Structure formats: structure tokens, C-alpha cells
């Protein structure tokens, strides 16, 4: 058997699987998004933009996603950065690995169970009861945008810490020494050396978190209680409750498009920032 | 700085700790601790719905992780040796599989498979020999395993390729110079070196499949996996039983993760 034939044989199962379980379903979604709703709940093939024209009906879901996803990403960044900095620069090397693993472990455990924990904490018998006890009454936390934001930060913090840690860990520590030897204040060193050199890590972390947040369903479903909902929640409603496949497909296609466009613009911006970073590293 | 780090760690582990703590709570209510008890574990483990869901979850996780590790490793090994359009296409497929939100994968699989099944079922009925009722293709365990395997294959390919590219090429070259057959080289040189990565890929895949809610929610048909069961019981209200199930789910992931970490580490040392 030639090497060529062998490679084809090795690739065949994975290739077929991707074809049937990824490309075919995605194509069906794209085709259905131009179709019409059948009375029985299915889709009548057609070529109409009617479904896309109807998108404003789900405007709130898009608006919530496009506000809470960036806010959640930014909040995670602000909380993750100091921790990543601590792990990469300040922490005792002996403890570094174990501390890092401790950050990542929660990410690989069930997000369902971890979000459920916050229902417990933010719900009526949890934190509000405690606040009540110290005299602050009538605080409602669960089913608010705040609860969803807490859930988001909690769920995705590990994903933000890791890439930033990697970029800070790679950073040549002699640059920091040189900077302080030349009389730079710690803040100046941070702003002119550490921060610019960690931009690739920040970019990766933000992108990962943002992409996952765009398709989020569980956190708003559990902590937003139907009041704070994302596009993901609208999709579940459209496909599993009202069974409007044509319209649901249009919403799904739009979600992926919005995601791709945002990520592309974002990458452009980062590359431009990266270009100016070169000057710093040469200095 | 250290204080800040401690606060973040508390933030990360406090909610998990709360669940574990209350799963051992004797009382019914979430608000007060009333002594130690394992009654909720007993209750969860004797609940037929929980055991059914657990069985389904384990079966799906094991099957899809196994298929994904097998086909993913095969693809990763082949991709290592080729360049050109085929490789570009595979890189793109893996990228799409990882980038597209899970919820969109779930939806796409649901309507894609239902559409295909609707076309195939009449054909199947017409060619079915004999009088018995012809088999009907439906959403269920099969579609769930197929959907998980697709996504997990991408994950395994990424992990195994990282291992392969870190491998010293001289080893395989030496082996073929010494007249080993390609299969002999694979079995005696490549496989032992990438095996820890393959096993780690299997364990991570298992964890992912076991914890997945969103894809299963769409494609599981009438089957109930453990996350689907937990999700629907949370909707009905918070009970101590969910704390016990949650603690067990966390424990399963934790064991898998630790094993995967150890394997990946050992693999790195071996090849150096």
C-alpha cells in the first residue's frame, strides 16, 4: 500500500464524520434560513429573505448578548489580569504550576453545576438573607443582569487567566530589571513594558471568552430567570418550544455572522496594536 | 497582590465548596446546616431517573470518547505526513468545529438529521423485507454519540498533533532506515510516544461529553443524560439531592482531569 493510499484510509473516517455531522447540518441551517415555515412545524423550501426581515422581533436577545458579552469579557479581563500577573511574575516558582492548575480545573468541570451553585448563593435564602440579617433589606440578586454577569465571570475567568499567564510568563524578566535600573517607576515599567508585551495574551483570552459568550445559553437561563436572555435562549425557544425552524435558522446564521464580523474587526484592531508593540520591544 | 490572588481563589472555589458542603447537610433547607448526613446521596442513587440518566451519560461519554480518540488519532497521524489542499481542508474543518458555538452545532445536528431521517425512513420502509415493522431512524443515543464524536474528534486531533509536532522526527527516520515497515514504525515508535496524548485526549473527551448540556439538549431525542436531568430538576426547584448529584459529577470530572494531566506530563518527559 502506498503512503498516499494509507493516508487517505486514515483520514476517511474523520473526513466522513465531519462531512455528515458538521458540513451537512450547517448547510441545512443555511438553506432553511431562506425557507418558509410549514404549517406542521417543518420548513417549506423557498428563497425568501422573510426570516431575516423578521430579525428585529428578537432584537432584545441580540441587544442583551451584544452588551453583556463585551461587558462580561472586559470584567473577566480586569479580574484575571492581576491574577495572571501574580502567577507569572510574583508567585513562588515552586507553587506556580499547582496554582495555575487550580485556576484551570474549574473550567473543565460542569458549567451547569457551577452556575447552579450561584442560584444557591444569590437566591433568596443565600446572600440576600445574609444582607437582610445585617440590616440591608429587600436586595434581589437572582434573575438580574448582575447575577448573569457574576455567572459569566465565574464561568470564564479560567479561560482568561491562562493565555495572559502564558504571555507574561514568556516575557523576558531582564527587561523589567533594565527598566527599573534605568530609573523607571514600577507603574511606568508596567505601562511601557509589561502591558504592551502581554497584549497577545489579552487578545487571545478576550477572543476565547467573547466567542463562547456569544453562544451562551445556560448562564442566562439559570441566573437570568427568563428576564435576562441571550440569543442562545431565543434559539432554544425557537427550536424546542415554538418549533419555528426557518426563523430559528435565520437567527442562528445571524449569530454566527455577527460573531465572525466582530472577531474579524477585533483581530484587525489587535494587529494594529501589535504593530505599535514592535516599536516598544525594539526600544 | 497575594491577598488579591487569595480572594480570586476563594471566588473560584467558594461556590463549589458550598455545593459539596450542603450535599452532606442533614436538613432539607438550603439556609441552615443541620449536621452531617449522606442521606441525599442515598436518595440520589436510589432514584431510578437519576440512575437511568447516569447510565446514559456514561455510555454516551465512553462511546463518543472512544470513537473520537480512534478516528482523531488516525487523522492526526495522517495529517502529520501530508501538505497541500487536503491538509488545509482539515485545518478548516477543525477550526469550524471548534469555533461554531455549541448551541449552533446542536441546532444544526437536530434539523440536519431530522431532515435526512424524514427522507430515509420512507425509503427504508419500502425496501424492508418481510412483514415486521421496519426500523425507524430517530433522534436518540446514536445521534447524540455522533454529534459528540464530531466535536471531540476535533479536540483529539488538536491534542495529538501538538504531541506529534513535538516528537523528534529522527526517531521515525531511524526506524525506517533500519528496515521497519511503516506499520512497524508506527506500532513500535510513534504509538508509544503519542499514547499518553491519545489517552489524555480520551479522558478530556470523556469529561466534555459527560458534562455537555447544550448539544445533548437538542440532539438526545427522548433520552435523558445526567446534565439534562439536573437542568430540568433545577427548573423545578433547588433540592439537596441536586447538591449530591452535582458533587458526584464534579468528582468524576476531577478524577479524569488529574489523570489526563499526569499522562500529558509523563508524555512530555518521555520524548525529551
Amino acid at each position: 500500500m502506498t503512503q498516499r493510499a494509507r493516508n487517505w484510509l486514515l483520514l476517511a473516517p474523520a473526513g466522513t464524520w465531519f462531512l455528515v455531522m458538521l458540513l451537512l447540518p450547517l448547510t441545512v441551517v443555511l438553506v432553511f434560513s431562506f425557507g418558509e415555515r410549514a404549517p406542521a412545524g417543518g420548513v417549506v423550501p423557498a428563497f425568501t429573505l422573510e426570516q431575516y426581515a423578521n430579525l428585529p422581533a428578537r432584537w432584545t436577545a441580540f441587544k442583551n448578548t451584544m452588551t453583556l458579552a463585551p461587558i462580561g469579557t472586559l470584567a473577566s479581563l480586569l479580574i484575571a489580569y492581576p491574577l495572571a500577573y501574580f502567577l507569572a511574575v510574583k508567585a513562588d516558582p515552586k507553587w506556580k504550576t499547582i496554582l495555575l492548575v487550580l485556576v484551570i480545573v474549574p473550567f473543565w468541570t460542569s458549567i451547569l453545576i457551577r452556575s447552579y451553585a450561584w442560584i444557591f448563593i444569590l437566591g433568596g435564602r443565600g446572600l440576600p438573607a445574609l444582607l437582610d440579617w445585617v440590616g440591608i433589606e429587600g436586595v434581589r440578586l437572582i434573575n438580574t443582569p448582575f447575577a448573569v454577569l457574576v455567572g459569566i465571570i465565574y464561568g470564564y475567568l479560567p479561560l482568561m487567566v491562562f493565555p495572559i499567564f502564558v504571555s507574561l510568563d514568556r516575557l523576558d524578566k531582564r527587561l523589567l530589571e533594565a527598566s527599573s535600573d534605568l530609573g523607571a517607576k514600577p507603574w511606568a515599567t508596567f505601562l511601557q513594558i509589561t502591558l504592551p508585551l502581554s497584549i497577545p495574551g489579552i487578545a487571545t483570552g478576550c477572543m476565547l471568552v467573547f466567542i463562547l459568550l456569544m453562544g451562551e445559553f445556560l448562564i442566562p437561563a439559570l441566573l437570568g430567570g427568563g428576564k435576562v436572555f441571550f440569543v442562545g435562549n431565543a434559539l432554544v425557544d425557537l427550536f424546542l418550544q415554538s418549533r419555528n425552524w426557518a426563523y430559528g435558522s435565520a437567527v442562528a446564521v445571524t449569530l454566527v455572522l455577527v460573531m465572525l464580523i466582530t472577531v474579524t474587526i477585533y483581530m484587525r484592531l489587535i494587529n494594529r496594536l501589535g504593530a505599535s508593540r514592535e516599536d516598544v520591544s525594539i526600544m | 497582590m497575594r491577598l488579591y490572588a487569595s480572594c480570586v481563589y476563594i471566588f473560584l472555589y467558594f461556590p463549589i465548596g458550598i455545593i459539596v458542603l450542603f450535599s452532606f447537610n442533614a436538613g432539607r433547607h438550603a439556609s441552615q446546616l443541620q449536621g452531617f448526613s449522606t442521606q441525599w446521596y442515598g436518595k440520589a442513587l436510589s432514584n431510578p431517573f437519576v440512575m437511568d440518566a447516569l447510565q446514559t451519560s456514561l455510555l454516551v461519554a465512553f462511546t463518543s470518547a472512544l470513537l473520537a480518540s480512534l478516528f482523531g488519532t488516525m487523522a492526526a497521524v495522517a495529517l502529520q505526513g501530508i501538505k497541500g489542499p487536503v491538509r488545509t481542508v482539515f485545518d478548516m474543518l477543525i477550526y469550524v468545529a471548534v469555533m461554531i458555538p455549541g448551541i449552533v452545532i446542536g441546532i444544526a445536528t437536530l434539523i440536519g438529521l431530522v431532515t435526512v431521517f424524514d427522507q430515509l425512513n420512507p425509503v427504508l420502509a419500502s425496501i424492508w423485507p418481510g412483514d415486521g415493522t421496519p426500523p425507524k431512524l430517530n433522534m436518540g443515543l446514536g445521534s447524540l454519540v455522533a454529534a459528540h464524536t464530531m466535536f471531540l474528534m476535533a479536540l483529539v486531533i488538536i491534542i495529538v498533533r501538538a504531541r506529534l509536532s513535538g516528537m523528534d522526527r529522527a526517531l521515525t527516520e531511524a526506524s525506517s532506515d533500519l528496515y521497519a515497515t511503516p506499520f512497524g514504525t508506527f506500532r513500535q515508535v510513534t504509538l508509544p510516544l503519542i499514547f499518553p496524548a491519545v489517552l489524555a485526549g480520551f479522558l478530556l473527551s470523556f469529561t466534555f461529553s459527560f458534562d455537555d448540556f447544550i448539544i445533548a439538549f437538542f440532539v438526545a431525542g427522548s433520552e435523558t443524560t445526567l446534565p439534562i436531568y439536573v437542568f430540568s430538576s433545577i427548573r423545578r426547584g433547588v433540592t439537596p439531592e441536586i447538591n449530591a448529584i452535582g458533587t458526584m459529577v464534579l468528582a468524576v470530572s476531577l478524577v479524569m482531569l488529574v489523570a489526563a494531566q499526569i499522562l500529558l506530563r509523563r508524555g512530555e518527559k518521555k520524548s525529551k
Side-chain angles (χ1 to χ4, degrees):
Chain A
M1 192 161 49
T2 66
Q3 187 167 1
R4 220 185 135 79
R6 203 169 51 236
N7 279 340
W8 276 109
L9 216 62
L10 285 172
L11 284 173
T16 318
W17 217 288
F18 279 132
L19 196 71
V20 177
M21 295 303 296
L22 183 67
L23 290 186
L24 174 101
L26 290 178
T27 313
V28 171
V29 171
L30 194 63
V31 171
F32 277 15
S33 75
F34 294 108
E36 274 165 17
R37 184 181 191 178
V43 174
V44 181
F47 188 80
T48 159
L49 290 173
E50 195 189 314
Q51 310 303 337
Y52 287 95
N54 255 333
L55 281 177
R58 294 284 170 167
W59 167 241
T60 324
F62 277 99
K63 195 190 72 188
N64 283 344
T65 310
M66 290 313 285
T67 42
L68 279 172
I71 292 174
T73 310
L74 197 68
S76 308
L77 173 64
L78 291 177
I79 295 175
Y81 198 93
L83 181 68
Y85 182 82
F86 171 78
L87 289 174
V89 183
K90 300 277 181 197
D92 188 342
K94 216 169 42 187
W95 292 98
K96 210 171 180 170
T97 318
I98 183 88
L99 284 174
L100 187 68
V101 169
L102 278 177
V103 174
I104 298 165
V105 161
F107 182 74
W108 274 95
T109 58
S110 167
I111 181 103
L112 173 65
I113 304 294
R114 286 188 298 134
S115 306
Y116 160 74
W118 284 99
I119 300 185
F120 215 68
I121 296 169
L122 298 177
R125 289 213 185 91
L127 208 52
L130 202 69
L131 288 174
D132 211 42
W133 190 66
V134 295
I136 308 166
E137 280 169 41
V139 181
R140 264 186 57 87
L141 293 172
I142 193 83
N143 302 346
T144 62
F146 172 76
V148 176
L149 200 61
V150 169
I152 287 172
I153 296 171
Y154 183 65
Y156 293 111
L157 193 64
L159 207 58
M160 187 66 94
V161 172
F162 190 65
I164 300 176
F165 167 82
V166 171
S167 67
L168 284 172
D169 198 41
R170 277 200 203 131
L171 183 151
D172 191 343
K173 304 296 183 297
R174 284 174 305 182
L175 288 174
L176 305 181
E177 284 162 26
S179 171
S180 74
D181 285 353
L182 291 168
K185 297 248 158 44
W187 260 111
T189 304
F190 176 76
L191 286 178
Q192 294 181 349
I193 298 179
T194 317
L195 188 62
L197 286 177
S198 60
I199 281 179
I202 296 176
T204 312
C206 287
M207 208 177 74
L208 289 174
V209 172
F210 184 75
I211 287 175
L212 286 177
L213 277 181
M214 292 285 291
E216 188 58 53
F217 161 78
L218 267 180
I219 297 173
L222 294 177
L223 301 171
K227 293 197 186 70
V228 187
F229 47 88
F230 277 25
V231 179
N233 306 71
L235 285 172
V236 167
D237 175 49
L238 285 170
F239 279 93
L240 297 180
Q241 263 102 51
S242 49
R243 295 193 183 267
N244 192 345
W245 286 8
Y247 185 47
S249 297
V251 173
V253 172
T254 311
L255 175 68
V256 173
L257 278 181
V258 170
M259 199 183 90
L260 283 179
I261 293 168
T262 322
V263 168
T264 313
I265 294 173
Y266 176 76
M267 293 296 273
R268 286 267 162 82
L269 278 173
I270 291 297
N271 281 339
R272 203 169 289 169
L273 267 176
S276 60
R277 184 176 60 87
E278 292 292 321
D279 314 334
V280 180
S281 57
I282 291 164
M283 268 162 45
Chain B
M1 201 85 210
R2 182 168 295 181
L3 183 73
Y4 176 82
S6 320
C7 288
V8 178
Y9 280 102
I10 292 172
F11 172 66
L12 281 175
Y13 283 92
F14 177 70
I16 296 177
I18 287 279
I19 294 224
V20 177
L21 183 70
F22 277 91
S23 75
F24 290 108
N25 186 14
R28 253 218 82 81
H29 290 298
S31 49
Q32 64 255 101
L33 283 167
Q34 294 170 340
F36 178 87
S37 149
T38 52
Q39 60 163 322
W40 302 115
Y41 287 88
K43 216 162 190 169
L45 292 174
S46 60
N47 180 340
F49 294 109
V50 174
M51 292 319 281
D52 232 35
L54 176 68
Q55 216 171 4
T56 308
S57 278
L58 288 174
L59 181 70
V60 168
F62 182 78
T63 318
S64 40
L66 196 69
L67 288 172
S69 322
L70 180 68
F71 296 150
T73 306
M74 280 163 61
V77 170
L79 287 172
Q80 187 69 5
I82 55 173
K83 286 192 176 66
V86 179
R87 188 173 171 148
T88 316
V89 166
F90 264 87
D91 283 344
M92 241 169 56
L93 286 172
I94 294 162
Y95 184 70
V96 170
V98 176
M99 272 279 284
I100 297 274
I103 191 164
V104 176
I105 301 258
I107 287 166
T109 313
L110 170 72
I111 65 174
L113 288 185
V114 166
T115 308
V116 172
F117 290 169
D118 281 349
Q119 302 294 317
L120 284 182
N121 277 332
V123 179
L124 213 67
S126 66
I127 58 166
W128 190 248
D131 301 325
T133 39
K136 210 164 171 262
L137 296 169
N138 247 326
M139 301 303 280
L141 280 185
S143 55
L144 182 52
V145 168
H148 275 179
T149 303
M150 190 282 296
F151 178 83
L152 299 174
M153 235 166 38
L155 185 75
V156 171
I157 295 178
I158 293 172
I159 294 174
V160 175
R161 267 171 95 179
R163 192 81 276 282
L164 278 168
S165 64
M167 212 174 80
D168 195 346
R169 281 198 86 93
L171 290 172
T172 49
E173 278 161 21
S175 168
S176 62
D177 285 351
L178 293 167
Y179 302 108
T181 60
F183 183 70
T185 303
F186 175 76
R187 201 172 56 88
Q188 295 186 321
V189 181
T190 314
L191 191 61
L193 283 173
I194 62 170
F195 192 67
V198 176
L199 211 54
F202 173 85
L203 293 172
L204 290 180
S205 298
F206 187 97
T207 313
F208 179 88
S209 172
F210 190 73
D211 287 343
D212 167 68
F213 167 76
I214 195 70
I215 297 178
F217 197 39
F218 285 100
V219 302
S222 57
E223 297 287 340
T224 303
T225 64
L226 202 54
I228 293 178
Y229 176 83
V230 170
F231 181 77
S232 48
S233 7
I234 292 173
R235 290 236 147 150
R236 272 182 266 120
V238 173
T239 66
E241 202 184 334
I242 304 178
N243 294 331
I245 300 173
T247 304
M248 289 189 277
V249 170
L250 292 176
V252 169
S253 324
L254 210 66
V255 170
M256 293 285 167
L257 270 180
V258 170
Q261 273 295 323
I262 292 171
L263 284 166
L264 281 174
R265 288 275 152 83
R266 191 177 290 171
E268 254 162 50
K269 273 184 204 141
K270 219 180 198 175
S271 68
K272 268 173 194 163

